Amino acid sequence: MASSTTSNTAFTRLTAAYASGRTRPLSWRRAQLDALRRLVMDNREDFVAAVAADLGKPAGETVLMELNLVADEARFVRNRLSVWAARHPKPMPWALQPAAGWTIAEPKGVVLVISPWNYPVLLALAPVADALAAGNAVCLKPSELAPNTTRLLSELVPQYLDREAVCVVEGGPKETGDLLKAPFDHIFYTGGERVGKIVMKAAAEHLTPVTLELGGKSPCFVDGTAVLNVAARRIAWGKFTNAGQTCVAPDYVLATPDVAERLAKRMAVAVTEFFGEHPQTSVDYGRIVNDRHMERLIGLLPAGTVPSAEPSSPLIKAASAVGAAVEMVGRRIGAGAVGDDATTAVSAGRVVCGGTVDREARYIAPTVLYGTSPDAPVMQEEIFGPILPILVVKDADEAIAFINGRPKPLAAYMFSRDRGTRLAFERRTSSGALGFDLPLGHLLSSRLPFGGVGASGMGAYHGKAGFDTFSHLKTVVAKPSFPDTLGLVYPPFDEAKRQLIELIAKLS
């Protein structure tokens, strides 16, 4: 669906607005950030309804994990603008004295923010807040997979923000492709790796810098020193918030043999505590975004867990029964440690809780799998849904080797009270963020940079990191005309000047 602001007109209008200088004054930036806070607070109920229509997301989650975080980000950066945007003096070398040097952050210009569907308010407006704080003109392209929220954003943004310097472009891949043809001064993309590569390739045509907030399989390690009840509840919360459709949700658990099965059972208890005996009736549990993702997730469950969506012939039913029997044997074999020979059988694991679905309602129960094989389909891609496999590892060293053998994740978590184990994870693994006994924590703070590494992304935002992302840090130097001390190092270089240069080098 095309909007009143087309891809072609958006860049032209924003370029003119930025060239006019209207976005540079701190007064303009503060006014826009104040307006952004009013936008989300004044229309709280409308946003809750739109996100519920798009994702089935509970109202409490939308307020806590989206609207409040946008308002907090806008307030945080607004209150620190005068310090961040000021000159920051830097010392100059002896050879140039008397002289002065400083850095100053200037806006990059006209920037493009491409946001995803899973947190359609937060991941659209938090980067916009950082871009406005840095003094840019901003084009926002929300996801077409959250149409109600996108429509609401396109209606509200022109009402609250400077419509000459901030715009929303609706539409799908065609409109996004058209926007990527324009020479933006920065592109900020949140989404999957496949489209991230497309964005980066398009940006290269104009040498446009990019920030890529991608994803990956974020691991979670648990050993025998962890407080198991606390670990189970926190992991369940981090995983099943937004029905698992969170880029930094724990994707899988690596647990030592002494706690793995007990952890799985206690997570099942935590699920019941959070969502009741029948999570489908809970007002606090979300839904899957669309049918395509439903079928993808169903395909990651153990064979035979969910009936086929299509009527099966007797022959197909017989084959399915055989497959389910093979899978059951595989699950029992696959309950050993990751490094055991027994795990050569590919198994998605045993369903400890959940495993039920309702295709029409786009519902998948919070599901915990125990004894999953590293080669199972559920371990070959980012799950991005309410399925949590638990793999058994011998110890922390095996867990670290397992993590390091895969692409660098956006986040990693570990539950252990052993100081040496914590230090090992901090120093021997690489991830966008690392959480000790706390999933999602870095997502909630404007004081901590949020971003990936390697395949999970590049660049960061939130607070000062976001301001820096959308700014060019310009170096400025100055030297008075008198006295012209540079005359001492102008050629020709006689003996006296050579000795002076050597003296300066020693003093530097």
Side-chain angles (χ1 to χ4, degrees):
M1 177 184 69
S3 70
S4 56
T5 301
T6 67
S7 303
N8 293 331
T9 61
F11 183 77
T12 301
R13 191 175 83 204
L14 295 176
T15 300
Y18 180 74
S20 73
R22 67 193 298 154
T23 68
R24 288 177 174 264
L26 297 188
S27 58
W28 181 90
R29 305 184 200 187
R30 293 191 180 101
Q32 297 305 300
L33 292 167
D34 288 340
L36 184 60
R37 289 184 62 209
R38 292 196 303 273
L39 185 156
V40 295
M41 293 295 101
D42 291 353
N43 301 279
R44 177 177 296 197
E45 297 305 318
D46 290 337
F47 276 117
V48 166
V51 175
D54 288 331
L55 290 169
K57 185 179 290 191
E61 277 189 19
T62 299
V63 173
L64 178 66
M65 302 293 288
E66 300 215 48
L67 303 181
N68 287 357
L69 293 183
V70 171
D72 289 346
E73 180 74 5
R75 179 177 58 245
F76 184 87
V77 295
R78 182 212 185 278
N79 292 343
R80 291 158 177 80
L81 273 184
S82 58
V83 175
W84 295 347
R87 289 179 174 181
H88 292 274
K90 305 294 179 182
M92 297 292 286
W94 281 97
L96 294 177
Q97 294 299 335
W102 62 89
T103 60
I104 189 166
E106 66 177 14
K108 284 190 173 177
V110 181
V111 303
L112 172 63
V113 174
I114 305 174
S115 61
W117 52 264
N118 59 321
Y119 285 81
V121 184
L122 172 65
L123 299 183
L125 297 183
V128 168
D130 293 344
L132 292 173
N136 299 280
V138 185
C139 178
L140 171 63
K141 170 58 183 69
S143 174
E144 70 278 10
L145 298 182
N148 295 284
T149 308
T150 293
R151 191 177 306 114
L152 183 60
L153 286 170
S154 69
E155 293 171 359
L156 294 178
V157 166
Q159 295 178 27
Y160 284 81
L161 302 180
D162 185 339
R163 63 178 60 209
E164 295 302 315
V166 186
C167 73
V168 177
V169 174
E170 295 183 74
K174 179 186 180 301
E175 286 74 17
T176 303
D178 290 342
L179 285 169
L180 290 173
K181 294 175 184 177
F184 283 93
D185 296 298
H186 192 95
I187 298 174
F188 187 105
Y189 168 77
T190 305
E193 180 180 341
R194 182 184 64 83
V195 178
K197 291 178 179 178
I198 295 173
V199 170
M200 195 169 184
K201 184 176 180 180
E205 291 296 318
H206 302 289
L207 298 180
T208 298
V210 297
T211 300
L212 301 180
E213 298 291 345
L214 305 178
K217 295 183 74 64
S218 297
C220 180
F221 172 73
V222 183
D223 70 12
T225 69
V227 181
L228 218 54
N229 283 332
V230 173
R233 288 170 62 86
R234 291 183 183 180
I235 295 170
W237 170 74
K239 177 63 178 182
F240 300 120
T241 290
N242 198 28
Q245 298 165 119
T246 304
C247 58
V248 289
D251 189 89
Y252 62 94
V253 173
L254 300 171
T256 53
D258 53 336
V259 296
E261 191 164 11
R262 286 188 292 136
L263 174 67
K265 292 177 180 178
R266 294 194 186 189
M267 288 192 64
V269 172
V271 167
T272 301
E273 291 174 349
F274 293 166
F275 308 115
E277 293 288 346
H278 304 285
Q280 187 168 4
T281 64
S282 172
V283 297
D284 298 315
Y285 186 67
R287 296 297 183 266
I288 306 305
V289 65
N290 57 31
D291 293 339
R292 181 172 66 85
H293 281 283
M294 271 292 297
E295 294 306 317
R296 180 186 65 81
L297 289 166
I298 288 172
L300 300 181
L301 292 169
T305 302
V306 180
S308 171
E310 299 295 332
S312 299
S313 69
L315 183 61
I316 294 176
K317 288 181 178 179
S320 298
V322 172
V326 171
E327 174 67 24
M328 183 179 296
V329 173
R331 289 202 301 267
R332 293 183 178 181
I333 293 175
V338 165
D340 289 349
D341 293 338
T343 59
T344 54
V346 176
S347 169
R350 167 166 57 87
V351 176
V352 179
C353 69
T356 58
V357 307
D358 182 338
R359 283 183 167 92
E360 186 175 349
R362 302 202 310 273
Y363 165 80
I364 297 180
T367 300
V368 176
L369 306 176
Y370 171 70
T372 302
S373 165
D375 298 322
V378 75
M379 291 300 297
Q380 306 312 306
E381 61 179 84
E382 182 180 5
I383 297 170
F384 219 70
I387 303 170
L388 183 64
I390 298 179
L391 291 74
V392 182
V393 292
K394 294 177 182 177
D395 51 28
D397 287 336
E398 185 173 338
I400 290 171
F402 187 88
I403 294 167
N404 290 341
R406 285 150 179 78
K408 295 177 181 178
L410 188 55
Y413 307 108
M414 62 95 67
F415 288 77
S416 173
R417 288 184 290 175
D418 183 81
R419 184 177 181 277
T421 302
R422 289 189 171 203
L423 194 61
F425 268 78
E426 183 175 337
R427 294 186 176 179
R428 292 167 53 194
T429 66
S430 179
S431 56
L434 175 62
F436 293 143
D437 297 341
L438 177 61
L440 311 190
H442 60 295
L443 177 66
L444 309 179
S445 174
S446 294
R447 289 176 169 81
L448 295 172
F450 182 93
V453 58
S456 61
M458 60 182 68
Y461 72 120
H462 285 186
K464 181 60 161 57
F467 178 85
D468 291 343
T469 286
F470 289 104
S471 300
H472 166 61
L473 190 63
K474 183 163 64 178
T475 293
V476 183
V477 295
K479 182 173 176 61
S481 298
F482 301 100
D484 188 11
T485 56
L486 286 181
L488 299 175
V489 293
Y490 291 155
F493 297 103
D494 55 25
E495 183 61 28
K497 288 185 178 180
R498 281 195 293 269
Q499 291 181 5
L500 177 61
I501 292 172
E502 290 179 4
L503 176 61
I504 293 174
K506 290 178 181 180
L507 293 174
S508 297

